[in-house]
Every structure is written in C-alpha cells, then in structure tokens.
Amino acid sequence: MDHEMTQELAATSVPAGGTTKVADEVVEKIAVAAAKAVPGVVELGGDVARFFNAVFDRVGLDQLGDARRGCSAYVTGDAAVINLVLVTEAGRPVPEITGEVRAQVTEAVEAYGLRVDEVNIRVDDVTIGDPATTTPA
C-alpha cells in the first residue's frame, strides 16, 4: 500500500509542460508605468495621442487608452524591444531623463522574467510652465 501511495504522489508532483507567451500589451503597460514614475517625464504619447486623450478627458473617458499610450513593445521569445514617446519637463537635461527611463523600464520588465534588448525613446514635446495648461506644440 505504501508503494502505491508513493507512486501517486510522485506522479502528481511533476509540473506540466507547455509554453508561456507574454503579450506585447503586458510589456507596454509595465513600461508605461515605469516611465511615468521617472522625474521629468510629464506625459507619454505623440501629439495626436495627447489630442485624443484630451478629448476623452472632456467627455468622461479619461482612462481610455492611458495604460499603453506612448508605448509599443515587441516580444519575441524571452526578449522585448520597447519604443516610447515622451513629453519632458522643460529645464531638465534630456539625456538624464531618457537614461533614467531606460534604466527603470528595463528593471521593471526584467522583473517579469523577460530580457530587454532595446528601449528606444523619442522625445516628442517639452512642457513649459504648468503642464496642465500647456497645449501640444
């Protein structure tokens, strides 16, 4: 009887096989959250995305598209390439901001078990004065 119980336990403790795929959208959300946390990053997204976001805000859909706006990611196997579009705060050195964004995004994504091959950043705009009253250039 003990032998049968041992065989049963051994059979149930073997992990199942299979594959795991992390969706591009998951990496985009992680990268956006990490980038927004960097001092000097005011907003993400290009002019068109920010325009539509302002319209959504006015009609009460202020959270629509925010989680991934300004980011695209491409996951292949266990590696990711991430592209970000940023609006930065005036008076802050762009290389400092983008260096910190790369470091934070890489750390955040790699915490999920992926390797980050590239973090490409385009600074699309800069805010001068109060970010809430600044309109896209």
Side-chain angles (χ1 to χ4, degrees), residues 45-120:
D47 291 339
V48 173
R50 292 192 321 272
F51 169 78
F52 281 111
N53 194 58
V55 171
F56 291 147
D57 288 350
R58 287 189 186 102
V59 296
L61 299 173
D62 55 336
Q63 296 300 312
L64 188 64
D66 279 353
R68 298 181 1 223
R69 183 174 39 130
C71 183
S72 61
Y74 304 96
V75 180
T76 306
D78 67 343
V81 173
I82 301 162
N83 301 304
L84 295 165
V85 180
L86 305 179
V87 177
T88 61
E89 185 180 322
R92 300 193 65 143
V94 170
E96 270 182 30
I97 295 169
T98 57
E100 186 62 23
V101 167
R102 276 190 184 89
Q104 293 296 326
V105 167
T106 299
E107 182 180 332
V109 172
E110 288 183 348
Y112 283 82
L114 294 171
R115 183 182 76 245
V116 176
D117 286 343
E118 295 178 26
V119 177
N120 302 305

Side-chain angles (χ1 to χ4, degrees), residues 19-30:
T19 61
T20 301
K21 166 87 170 101
V22 177
D24 297 345
E25 294 84 3
V26 172
V27 174
E28 290 166 359
K29 288 180 180 182
I30 296 165

